[in-house]
Amino acid sequence: MPGSFSKKGRTQPMSVEQIVELAENFEYNPLVPFKHWSRSAGTLLKEAGIYHHEGNEEQAYLLLFRHAHLILDKLPTHPEARSKENDLVLQQLRKDVLRNISKLEALRPRINKRFDRYQAILKERSQAKAAHTRALAASRRVSADDTHTQKGLSSLSTDFASARGAETLSAGENRDLAVKLAHKEIRRRATERKATRHAAVTQEEEQERRTAGSWGEWEEASTKDTHTKDQDTLSRDMHNIRMQVSGSKPEALQQGGSRPVVKTPKSHFVYPTVPQKSSWEPQAYSSYSAPDPTSEDLIAKHATSLPPQRPSKTPNSKLEDAFLPQRPNKEAITYDRSPSRSDTASPVPQELKPSTFTFQPSAYLENGSPLRTIFLPPDLRHHFLSIALPNTKANLETCGILCGTLISNALFISKLVIPEQTSTSDTCETVNESDLFDYIDGEDLMILGWIHTHPTQTCFMSSRDLHTHSGYQVMMPESIAIVCAPSKADWGVFRLTDPPGMKTVLNCTQSGLFHPHAESNIYTDALRPGHVYEAKGLEFDVVDMRRS
């Protein structure tokens, strides 16, 4: 659901009304578990903060409004929303919306001012062109100025695209620059997170204030009166914004007008306090040597679902093989045990800033929606296979979570997190899910996909893998699934097609451990061609959270 708001990488300014229309235009499926939607809401806020920090106010507004629309209009109707646990989650999510009301109100006039200016210039240039055409017709001669006028009109969108100093780049042709940009920005954010923690700021306050890892200009707006408004006030504020967008007068609400259209519970509630989370120290996982294959601590007793429970794969199934897309040849897999951090990284220019560049979409979904580029460290799978080697020898699967961040409208994988997990020959389930999320949120990371092994099978997406990955792709359309088949020296990077893959899997109610799907093109390759680019020199860390 998060992502770019145009199908062709729109560069011209948009009005708030146009942005709101796009923000509310996403497919909500109540069959998707509530927890996936709540995680998606968190991703929306992270992306909004980063886009705002980089000067992309339109995209920030779209994501903030979409977040509010999801929380206030959609999630209260979810079949799982009435459970006690999810009700508390929903209350906390409403608290996030409450903080964002002031941000939306601050952004709205600036966006409309930019759009009005664009319209005025467009009208002025159109009038100039018409006058010039009349002059040419009167004199019956062609001037060189005609070509100049045509070029000026056609480049209007480009002028506004670079108005905030952002140069549009192709991901495939600028991988070296992308790596340098990522190195500098990821280090900057890490430094500011450390400074925040050393300043003894509570984790809740840090989460409220953080905008792309920095103290943003929204600090005061984010913390003002957040504990004094009740649900009715929240609904009125959101409704006022909708009315302002449509040109109505919000004052009617303050004079005994009708209640807001936003559907929210009628009863008042008290926002719960946020419990202190246990912090995972990255250095505790800096060593990622392969675990002892005889260790029994790897198998935990109580499994939770992230990703969702997966049925066993059926080896060598003809039905599964029929779903395997044509993939380009990949290099043979080797077990590389070299450090993950590059010792020969190129020097980074001091003036390099995320707001200076924007990477254009590198691929599109089958429905035409753009996919932002994911930059993948080429060595990541080798390190993952080194970690998985003991399990692989024991014919046990291993899984990892691909985490990273958003920079200049591109996604960078910067961490491979190995969660606590239980494994069999054809399944792998995470345990202690809360610890995993605490670490990801504490490091301000986004989940960009997952990686797992098929110890003895070929490289394909089983029916269970498809159901697992649908949860990731609901949270972020660019999410990828990397499958490694070490016994076949093969690997692949995949995503579900949309359509028909996503709808087919999300609407599937079959309960068998293995089951075929009616659609044949249910998933596809995401690497060469696709929206995933390997970027040599891109640094990443490995965080092994398993209890050894």
Side-chain angles (χ1 to χ4, degrees):
M1 182 172 62
S4 300
F5 58 68
S6 71
K7 294 194 176 208
K8 299 298 180 183
R10 183 191 298 270
T11 56
Q12 66 267 30
M14 302 177 67
S15 67
V16 169
E17 184 176 8
Q18 292 171 329
I19 295 174
V20 167
E21 183 179 356
L22 288 172
E24 294 181 336
N25 184 24
F26 68 92
E27 186 173 352
Y28 172 76
N29 189 330
L31 295 179
V32 175
F34 183 93
K35 67 176 182 178
H36 289 319
W37 285 119
S38 63
R39 291 299 301 178
S40 182
T43 301
L44 285 170
L45 289 187
K46 290 180 181 179
E47 291 191 30
I50 293 173
Y51 277 117
H52 179 267
H53 180 77
E54 295 180 359
N56 193 337
E57 294 182 339
E58 292 179 338
Q59 185 68 7
Y61 192 97
L62 180 142
L63 293 170
L64 288 174
F65 200 98
R66 178 171 290 177
H67 174 268
H69 181 57
L70 173 65
I71 303 307
L72 299 180
D73 294 352
K74 300 297 185 181
L75 285 190
T77 67
H78 195 281
E80 301 172 8
R82 294 185 178 181
S83 72
K84 184 176 180 180
E85 179 182 1
N86 289 337
D87 181 63
L88 292 176
V89 172
L90 192 55
Q91 290 180 28
Q92 184 61 39
L93 292 175
R94 291 195 189 105
K95 184 178 179 181
D96 292 334
V97 174
L98 180 62
R99 286 197 298 268
N100 294 331
I101 292 293
S102 57
K103 301 176 186 178
L104 287 165
E105 292 175 342
L107 287 173
R108 184 175 56 83
R110 297 207 294 264
I111 293 173
N112 279 334
K113 182 178 180 180
R114 189 179 301 114
F115 176 75
D116 291 341
R117 181 188 170 206
Y118 169 77
Q119 292 296 315
I121 294 177
L122 185 64
K123 182 178 180 180
E124 180 182 337
R125 292 195 179 187
S126 178
Q127 291 173 345
K129 178 187 176 183
H132 183 68
T133 301
R134 288 194 299 269
L136 287 176
S139 61
R140 295 186 179 182
R141 62 185 178 83
V142 178
S143 168
D145 291 338
D146 185 40
T147 303
H148 178 74
T149 302
Q150 294 284 359
K151 289 183 178 179
L153 190 62
S154 64
S155 64
L156 184 60
S157 295
T158 305
D159 293 342
F160 273 87
S162 59
R164 61 184 179 89
E167 179 184 355
T168 302
L169 299 176
S170 167
E173 298 173 0
N174 294 277
R175 301 188 206 191
D176 291 341
L177 185 148
V179 169
K180 294 176 182 178
L181 185 66
H183 286 176
K184 184 176 181 180
E185 180 62 12
I186 290 174
R187 289 166 182 165
R188 182 194 68 78
R189 296 180 189 179
T191 299
E192 294 197 358
R193 278 197 304 274
K194 290 180 181 179
T196 300
R197 291 166 185 170
H198 290 164
V201 177
T202 65
Q203 190 163 4
E204 181 182 10
E205 186 177 4
E206 176 187 350
Q207 189 65 32
E208 291 180 359
R209 290 178 165 185
R210 185 188 300 138
T211 301
S214 66
W215 301 99
E217 65 183 61
W218 292 345
E219 176 181 352
E220 182 178 355
S222 297
T223 57
K224 183 179 180 182
D225 296 334
T226 56
H227 298 288
T228 61
K229 295 186 179 181
D230 60 15
Q231 179 62 34
D232 289 336
T233 304
L234 172 61
S235 299
R236 285 196 298 270
D237 287 345
M238 194 63 198
H239 185 60
N240 283 350
I241 290 178
R242 279 196 171 98
M243 294 183 70
Q244 290 168 357
V245 167
S246 63
S248 302
K249 294 183 179 180
E251 288 79 8
L253 281 175
Q254 301 174 3
Q255 300 174 359
S258 59
R259 289 294 301 272
V261 178
V262 180
K263 297 179 181 179
T264 52
K266 295 181 179 179
S267 61
H268 295 284
F269 62 88
V270 178
Y271 293 116
T273 57
V274 179
Q276 293 283 37
K277 299 177 181 179
S278 58
S279 299
W280 288 93
E281 295 295 336
Q283 57 266 29
Y285 306 101
S286 59
S287 175
Y288 51 90
S289 56
D292 182 357
T294 62
S295 173
E296 296 180 356
D297 294 336
L298 182 65
I299 310 299
K301 294 182 179 180
H302 303 288
T304 56
S305 55
L306 178 79
Q309 294 289 328
R310 308 201 313 255
S312 302
K313 303 181 183 70
T314 301
N316 302 323
S317 168
K318 293 182 180 180
L319 285 171
E320 294 283 15
D321 291 340
F323 299 154
L324 186 62
Q326 294 295 323
R327 307 193 312 276
N329 293 330
K330 306 292 193 305
E331 59 186 275
I333 291 177
T334 58
Y335 294 102
D336 185 352
R337 295 179 180 271
S338 58
S340 61
R341 288 285 181 183
S342 172
D343 297 327
T344 60
S346 303
V348 180
Q350 292 300 317
E351 69 276 11
L352 202 61
K353 296 180 180 180
S355 58
T356 308
F357 308 100
T358 180
F359 289 97
Q360 63 188 18
S362 55
Y364 296 85
L365 290 174
E366 289 69 19
N367 62 18
S369 298
L371 290 173
R372 294 166 294 185
T373 299
I374 288 185
F375 287 105
L376 170 69
D379 294 335
L380 184 143
R381 67 182 182 280
H382 300 308
H383 293 295
F384 172 70
L385 285 169
S386 296
I387 296 170
L389 182 58
N391 277 0
T392 301
K393 291 180 176 179
N395 193 26
L396 296 174
E397 280 198 5
T398 307
C399 68
I401 310 299
L402 304 174
C403 298
T405 191
L406 171 68
I407 303 173
S408 298
N409 202 45
L411 300 160
F412 294 80
I413 294 176
S414 59
K415 269 193 173 61
L416 168 62
V417 181
I418 310 297
E420 286 195 73
Q421 54 196 265
T422 60
S423 304
T424 69
S425 61
D426 47 22
T427 64
C428 185
E429 310 295 343
T430 61
V431 298
N432 291 338
E433 179 182 289
S434 60
D435 285 345
L436 173 64
F437 285 149
D438 283 349
Y439 174 77
I440 290 173
D441 291 338
E443 293 298 306
D444 221 12
L445 295 168
M446 298 177 187
I447 297 177
L448 305 181
W450 60 303
I451 182 172
H452 73 290
T453 57
H454 287 182
T456 60
Q457 300 178 54
T458 58
C459 178
F460 69 102
M461 291 281 281
S462 71
S463 59
R464 196 49 166 176
D465 292 339
L466 297 174
H467 281 269
T468 294
H469 189 65
S470 66
Y472 287 93
Q473 210 162 309
V474 162
M475 293 188 288
M476 181 175 289
E478 293 87 357
S479 294
I480 58 175
I482 300 179
V483 181
C484 297
S487 66
K488 311 299 181 184
D490 195 11
W491 68 289
V493 184
F494 306 110
R495 67 167 176 84
L496 296 182
T497 56
D498 189 10
M502 279 290 285
K503 288 185 178 179
T504 299
V505 174
L506 291 177
N507 293 328
C508 176
T509 57
Q510 299 182 72
S511 58
L513 293 179
F514 167 74
H515 55 268
H517 296 97
E519 299 289 345
S520 58
N521 58 330
I522 207 164
Y523 72 100
T524 187
D525 203 338
L527 175 70
R528 299 194 305 269
H531 68 291
V532 180
Y533 286 86
E534 290 186 293
K536 185 178 181 181
L538 183 59
E539 297 177 350
F540 68 100
D541 292 321
V542 178
V543 178
D544 195 339
M545 302 182 72
R546 296 175 298 179
R547 310 295 184 185
S548 57

